[in-house]
């Protein structure tokens, strides 16, 4: 299957700082990328959907000014957690797909810990 | 996005047993996908189903796309310890990708 690389896999940051997470599709062009948040032993919670070259569509309850998403190219999307707080600590996962009806492939996830 | 109804929520079985899990929805989906997630990792695609009635196998895994396009099941035969993980179903409809809440599988030797 197609490869999606997410970086970093783990990050620890101080409260109040910002953290950027990258999601890259290595061998295909991702017209759509999804960002998820996952709490321990819980399902994937969709945060936002981004299409290349346009603004991300955020799910209800997700603060767009706190979770900045940029999808500047067909192979890269970034999620920036701004002014992080301990409650933002979580597992963040991206996925990417090439078209409306094709399967999505996931990155390895990023474990964010805010101290 | 819309949540699919995935069951069971968890399963605790012995090595060698067969496993079955399913997903249902009130909506029709164009594609059904099954993923496995290991702890601390992102989900990995196991099987993709594109047509109603389609039955697809991947080793010991078999999945089917329901005729009504509102459900799918995943079977694992002769389970082994490395099958442990969380299994997610997902359905695609237009540009949305909807996930079930997952089935946590534990396999004892």
């Amino acid at each position: 299957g197609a490869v999606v690389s997410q970086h970093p896999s783990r990050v620890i940051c101080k409260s109040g700082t910002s953290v950027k997470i990258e999601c890259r599709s290595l061998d295909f062009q991702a017209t759509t990328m999804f960002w998820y948040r996952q709490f321990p032993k819980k399902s994937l919670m969709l945060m936002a959907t981004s299409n290349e070259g346009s603004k991300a569509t955020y799910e209800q309850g997700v603060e767009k000014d706190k979770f900045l998403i940029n999808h500047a190219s067909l192979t890269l999307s970034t999620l920036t957690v701004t002014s992080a707080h301990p409650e933002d600590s979580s597992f963040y996962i991206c996925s990417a797909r090439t078209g409306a009806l094709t399967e999505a492939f996931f990155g390895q996830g990023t474990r964010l810990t805010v101290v | 996005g819309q949540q699919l109804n995935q069951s069971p929520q968890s399963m605790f079985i012995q090595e060698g047993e067969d496993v079955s899990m399913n997903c249902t929805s009130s909506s029709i989906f164009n594609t059904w996908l099954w993923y496995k997630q290991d702890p601390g990792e992102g989900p990995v695609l196991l099987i993709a189903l594109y047509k109603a009635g389609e039955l697809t196998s991947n080793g010991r895994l078999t999945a089917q796309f329901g005729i009504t396009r509102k459900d799918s099941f995943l079977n694992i035969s002769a389970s082994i310890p490395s099958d442990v993980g969380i299994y997610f179903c997902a359905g695609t409809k237009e540009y949305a990708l909807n996930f079930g809440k997952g089935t946590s599988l534990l396999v004892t030797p």
Side-chain angles (χ1 to χ4, degrees):
Chain A
V3 179
V4 176
S5 178
Q6 189 172 338
H7 178 81
S9 58
R10 292 177 180 272
V11 57
I12 300 174
C13 71
K14 290 185 177 180
S15 186
T17 62
S18 295
V19 174
K20 180 184 284 188
I21 302 170
E22 293 187 348
C23 182
R24 294 181 184 272
S25 58
L26 299 186
D27 51 2
F28 68 100
Q29 293 185 325
T31 52
T32 306
M33 285 189 172
F34 304 90
W35 286 96
Y36 299 86
R37 183 172 181 177
Q38 188 177 35
F39 294 99
K41 299 184 180 180
K42 296 293 184 182
S43 185
L44 304 163
M45 185 187 80
L46 179 65
M47 298 174 67
T49 301
S50 73
N51 292 295
E52 185 266 339
S54 61
K55 290 184 178 180
T57 301
Y58 289 81
E59 295 298 301
Q60 191 173 12
V62 179
E63 300 176 59
K64 60 179 67 177
D65 294 330
K66 180 164 187 64
F67 298 100
L68 300 179
I69 291 173
N70 184 281
H71 191 167
S73 77
L74 285 171
T75 59
L76 174 65
S77 176
T78 59
L79 167 66
T80 301
V81 183
T82 63
S83 187
H85 291 283
E87 57 266 30
D88 298 326
S89 299
S90 192
F91 193 57
Y92 293 87
I93 313 174
C94 70
S95 71
R97 65 198 299 195
T98 59
L101 299 179
T102 60
E103 57 268 34
F105 298 92
F106 284 85
Q108 306 94 318
T110 297
R111 171 70 60 191
L112 170 63
T113 303
V114 184
V115 298
Chain B
Q2 176 189 349
Q3 285 284 333
L4 304 179
N5 299 312
Q6 184 172 349
S7 65
Q9 185 176 5
S10 62
M11 300 184 75
F12 188 78
I13 63 171
Q14 278 196 319
E15 183 177 1
E17 290 185 14
D18 296 341
V19 173
S20 184
M21 58 192 79
N22 69 83
C23 270
T24 61
S25 172
S26 58
S27 300
I28 290 175
F29 287 101
N30 297 317
T31 308
W32 281 93
L33 310 169
W34 284 94
Y35 293 86
K36 181 192 177 194
Q37 184 179 25
D38 291 325
E41 300 288 334
V44 173
L45 181 66
L46 299 174
I47 293 179
L49 303 160
Y50 302 101
K51 296 180 182 178
E54 180 180 354
L55 183 69
T56 297
S57 293
N58 178 7
R60 294 178 295 105
L61 277 61
T62 302
Q64 184 160 31
F65 192 145
I67 290 291
T68 64
R69 295 169 64 190
K70 294 182 179 180
D71 63 299
S72 177
F73 72 74
L74 173 70
N75 288 341
I76 305 173
S77 62
S79 59
I80 58 178
S82 61
D83 290 334
V84 166
I86 302 178
Y87 292 79
F88 290 100
C89 65
T92 68
K93 182 179 180 182
E94 297 176 348
Y95 290 94
L97 180 63
N98 305 284
F99 279 88
K101 293 190 175 182
T103 295
S104 177
L105 178 63
L106 293 175
V107 181
T108 58

